[in-house]
Amino acid sequence: MTAERVDPPPIADERTMLRAYLDFHRATLARKCAGLTDEELRRCAVPTSGLSLLGLVRHLAEVERAWFRRTIDGEDVPLVWSAEGDFQVAYDARDADRAEAFAAWEAEVAHARRIEREAPALDVTGRRGGTGEEVSLRMVLLHLIHEYARHNGHADLLREAVDGSVGV
């Protein structure tokens, strides 16, 4: 995925604004990972944590897949790394393959973009796995923005621990 990041527009309709903010946060994660070696992407900032930049990429691939493909589109697809539905499993990237992780994430982002683009309205709903709760595409977009923003904060710290870069 390209590390080019475009600022969201200051004025736009709701859908354009939500799409732009989610893409901004996706690009932020890509930028945090850009230019690092495989070993650096796997590096954990805290000895007691298995969290790494590559683990975040894997986790967010699962999140994209679960919310867009499984919940909104109703696809019967398994998660990529979380066979038991435990999204924390994806964080453990000590033996992860960089190419596989980024390919999965990029594929899930492409699916998510297609699903969002083809949905006739933000009020389209799907059923959340596990609970069966009905949720709207609007809620999913907002949740993903929140998810990426939170994890990009982690990515800031992880990247700084790897090479001292801040504000990437």
Side-chain angles (χ1 to χ4, degrees), residues 30-118:
R31 285 175 65 143
K32 295 292 176 186
C33 296
L36 297 178
T37 67
D38 290 10
E39 186 269 317
E40 289 170 330
L41 286 170
R42 289 187 198 99
R43 190 176 301 160
C44 302
V46 180
T48 57
S49 172
L51 186 62
S52 66
L53 287 165
L54 196 56
L56 287 176
V57 170
R58 287 166 40 114
H59 172 75
L60 287 161
E62 295 285 48
V63 169
E64 295 264 5
R65 184 181 196 112
W67 283 105
F68 285 99
R69 291 179 68 187
R70 295 173 66 165
T71 299
I72 295 299
D73 217 30
E75 292 181 46
D76 184 19
V77 292
L79 293 172
V80 182
W81 294 283
S82 310
E84 305 301 316
D86 177 5
F87 286 67
Q88 307 309 314
V89 171
Y91 283 138
D92 185 358
R94 288 175 282 201
D95 298 320
D97 180 87
R98 170 198 194 121
E100 177 188 35
F102 278 94
W105 179 55
E106 291 167 1
E108 293 308 325
V109 167
H111 281 295
R113 285 181 175 141
R114 176 191 51 80
I115 291 164
E116 182 274 322
R117 195 173 50 249
E118 292 175 359

Side-chain angles (χ1 to χ4, degrees), residues 66-67 70-72 125-136:
W67 283 105
R70 295 173 66 165
T71 299
I72 295 299
T125 62
R127 295 275 176 197
R128 185 176 181 177
T131 66
E133 174 186 25
E134 188 175 28
V135 297
S136 70

Side-chain angles (χ1 to χ4, degrees), residues 10 12 22 65-66 76 138-139 155:
L22 182 51
R65 184 181 196 112
D76 184 19
R138 177 182 290 103
M139 178 268 175

